[in-house]
Amino acid sequence: MKASDLFIKALESEGVEYIFGIPGEENLDLLNSMKDSSIKLILTRHEQGAGFMAATYGRLTGKAGVCLSTLGPGATNLVTAAAYAQLGAMPMLMITGQKPIKASKQGQFQIVDVVAMMRPLTKFTHQISSASNIPARVREAMRNAEGERPGAAHLELPEDIACEETDAKVIVRSQFDIPHASDNSISATVEMIESAQHPLILIGAGANRKYACQTLTAFIKNTGIPFISTQMGKGVIDERNPLFLGNAALSANDFLHRAIEHTDLIINVGHDVVEKPPFFMEQGGFEVIHINYVTAAIDPVYYPQQGVIGDIGNSIERLTRRITPQQSWDFSRFMEVKAHLDRRLLEGIDDDRFPLYPQRLVADVRKVMPDDGIIALDNGVYKIWFARNYKAHIPNTVLLDNALATMGAGLPSAMAAKIVHPDRRVMAICGDGGFMMNSQEMETAVRLKLDLVVLILRDDAYGMIKWKQANMGFDDFGLDYGNPDFVMYANSYGANGHRVTSAGSLAPLLEMCFNIPGVHLVEVPVDYSENDRILNHEINENSRLI
Ligand SMILES: Cc1ncc(C[n+]2csc(CCOP(=O)(O)OP(=O)(O)O)c2C)c(N)n1
Ligand SMILES: [Mg+2]
């Protein structure tokens, strides 16, 4: 068999459904091998878009998303997506081409050492130097990408290897279960939780990866212990749950930090130090139990005293069976904090001012999204508002990146979400800055006939940096720009462009967009003038008063 055919067969055997990317001449054998394959090629307009789509496919399915590029410039364009997958623990496999390795063809033309470039950004990176090794290398790349903690893997398939003949056979996936935590660690944890006074549960990104939602919901119901979530832990448990205190969108000085100050034990489920810390450990302060698939990466502000390492669902189920709710537990302070925060979160939801204020925007988006609707956020200051104010109802319905926190991923990740869940409502939410970083993928979305709403929050500036600039006491300088006419821009792609002209028209317009097939771009002028006052000062001051 030809090596490139074997490569594609190996990917088919891994269950790969799509390859996102842009082939170059060095990938033409592989491309040709895809012609008769069950794997669908999704051609994009930039490798970064392909990488973000593959990573999000991996995030939503647990199976590595696969992307493809040529050597040199194609591969360097994948670098940000590699970091996105690696930091965000999203399983992804990148395949890049290379000039022939056995006989040089064109000197050093277009050649960079892609394997070395990918090393700090991946769990596994390898140049295939013999066709007979393809089955093992593909398997190993997938094992690395998908195994806990998931991340990026990379394989380079040089042009002369891709057309070799080989009689090697595909290696099928190994069957295994994720190991379970030891009885000792479960017993020690039960003891710690039962003897705490004010235990508090924190749910992080890892709990969104596998199916921990039902067991965690039962754990919280049976124990009555209140919980908070990190940005990437949103939705593991329905945030309308009466024991949900709030989201750690801000690192410090929010209402829920009053609860964190009061706890003596944090039960930290699925946390990952890559997320902005939702709390800071201090010597002599509260203790932390780390419940996760892998042991905690230690950091100056994170050094849990107890680990429960193994399948999260299994650990939680066993803890639920073993823990007896204690008379001595006292959650009154937590519930006081919740009452204050809940009241504050209602402020501004019907604010009629225009351009729109973020609180109204978040409330209106929530109104048009069903429980299973997915919002995919790019990076900008609105991410804080959505993390804090948007209540997620089910797992993986708020796709935000609190790991690499890159701009430019909102649109591609929404597209991947729509491909994985064609029957659900999906909305990309982007700043005018982040959207423009990968806006060329509008063409891909239109070509794929995706039903998608792309919300652009227009402040004609890098608003998030303006907000930080104000917070640090600097003058307003150097962060404003102009924009294309987004309505005409969308229309030129064959999408449908819309502009919001009053606060009251946003929700009905979004509803209409979801009812008309196709890609809809909705430009929403936003007023960020209160971000500094509210996020930097008011929350801090008000939370100190409770
Ligand atoms: C690729 C990349 N470049 C720069 C940054 C730093 N950064 C974070 S948010 C931001 C501004 C975002 O502007 P925009 O997308 O318009 O959103 P806004 O905050 O204005 O709503 C910048 C420059 C980043 N996170 N990622
Ligand atoms: Mg902006």
Side-chain angles (χ1 to χ4, degrees), residues 85-400:
Q86 181 76 348
L87 266 63
M90 307 179 200
M92 175 174 81
L93 169 62
M94 297 171 285
I95 303 163
T96 60
Q98 190 51 282
K99 296 272 179 227
I101 50 173
K102 293 187 188 156
S104 163
K105 200 163 76 170
Q106 295 164 326
Q108 292 298 308
F109 179 65
Q110 287 195 307
I111 293 183
V112 291
D113 186 343
V114 178
V115 172
M117 176 181 81
M118 290 295 184
R119 189 149 289 126
L121 303 172
T122 53
K123 292 174 73 182
F124 177 83
T125 172
H126 191 82
Q127 179 187 68
I128 296 178
S129 52
S130 157
S132 60
N133 289 337
I134 286 174
R137 301 302 180 229
V138 169
R139 189 73 278 283
E140 186 58 4
M142 297 302 265
R143 185 186 73 83
N144 271 283
E146 293 174 359
E148 283 293 336
R149 170 182 188 273
H154 166 245
L155 287 173
E156 180 178 78
L157 181 63
E159 206 181 326
D160 51 349
I161 307 300
C163 62
E164 269 182 8
E165 281 298 317
T166 173
D167 53 11
K169 299 270 178 306
V170 164
I171 298 176
V172 296
R173 294 169 70 91
S174 319
Q175 297 301 317
F176 66 92
D177 289 324
I178 299 175
H180 291 171
S182 73
D183 280 333
N184 277 349
S185 64
I186 295 282
S187 299
T189 300
V190 170
E191 163 81 36
M192 275 175 89
I193 296 175
E194 288 184 347
S195 54
Q197 296 233 293
H198 317 289
L200 179 62
I201 299 165
L202 172 61
I203 296 172
N208 243 333
R209 284 207 282 277
K210 311 265 175 343
Y211 209 64
C213 148
Q214 271 180 357
T215 49
L216 262 167
T217 305
F219 178 78
I220 282 165
K221 184 160 181 268
N222 291 356
T223 61
I225 302 175
F227 70 103
I228 58 181
S229 58
T230 67
Q231 291 193 23
M232 291 176 80
K234 278 185 84 66
V236 176
I237 302 177
D238 191 335
E239 293 180 343
R240 292 169 298 184
N241 188 307
L243 291 170
F244 176 63
L245 303 186
N247 182 268
L250 299 169
S251 295
N253 297 326
D254 200 343
F255 288 85
L256 63 82
H257 295 100
R258 301 288 87 83
I260 291 172
E261 274 164 19
H262 185 69
T263 185
D264 54 345
L265 179 70
I266 292 189
I267 306 161
N268 201 2
V269 186
H271 180 63
D272 193 326
V273 283
V274 81
E275 275 208 81
K276 237 181 208 178
F279 60 79
F280 302 98
M281 288 183 76
E282 281 170 20
Q283 298 290 347
F286 52 75
E287 298 205 316
V288 174
I289 298 168
H290 176 89
I291 303 181
N292 215 327
Y293 301 100
V294 288
T295 51
I298 302 302
D299 184 86
V301 296
Y302 192 64
Y303 42 89
Q305 284 79 7
Q306 174 69 43
V308 183
I309 309 307
D311 181 70
I312 292 182
N314 173 274
S315 300
I316 296 294
E317 204 179 299
R318 285 157 69 199
L319 287 171
T320 309
R321 263 188 270 125
R322 294 272 305 273
I323 289 175
T324 312
Q326 303 291 302
Q327 291 289 333
S328 52
W329 286 346
D330 175 7
F331 303 126
S332 52
R333 174 68 177 151
F334 294 162
M335 299 326 279
E336 198 177 283
V337 169
K338 175 181 169 58
H340 279 276
L341 178 59
D342 282 354
R343 227 176 12 251
R344 295 280 171 183
L345 289 179
L346 293 176
E347 286 171 3
I349 61 171
D350 47 10
D351 190 331
D352 267 335
R353 286 176 296 174
F354 185 82
L356 262 95
Y357 282 71
Q359 298 91 320
R360 170 75 189 256
L361 178 91
V362 173
D364 281 9
V365 170
R366 184 63 274 187
K367 268 190 214 148
V368 300
M369 296 308 280
D371 287 353
D372 68 353
I374 297 175
I375 56 170
L377 303 185
D378 207 280
N379 262 279
V381 67
Y382 53 88
K383 186 174 88 173
I384 297 173
W385 287 107
F386 273 91
R388 208 170 167 272
N389 295 34
Y390 186 94
K391 288 217 165 30
H393 299 170
I394 65 173
N396 279 317
T397 50
V398 178
L399 300 182
L400 56 72

Side-chain angles (χ1 to χ4, degrees), residues 380-382 430-434 457-464 479 481 483 526 528:
V381 67
Y382 53 88
C430 309
D432 43 9
L457 313 186
R458 180 172 159 205
D459 66 334
D460 296 320
Y462 292 119
M464 171 89 172
L479 294 164
Y481 46 66
N483 269 310
V526 285
Y528 282 158

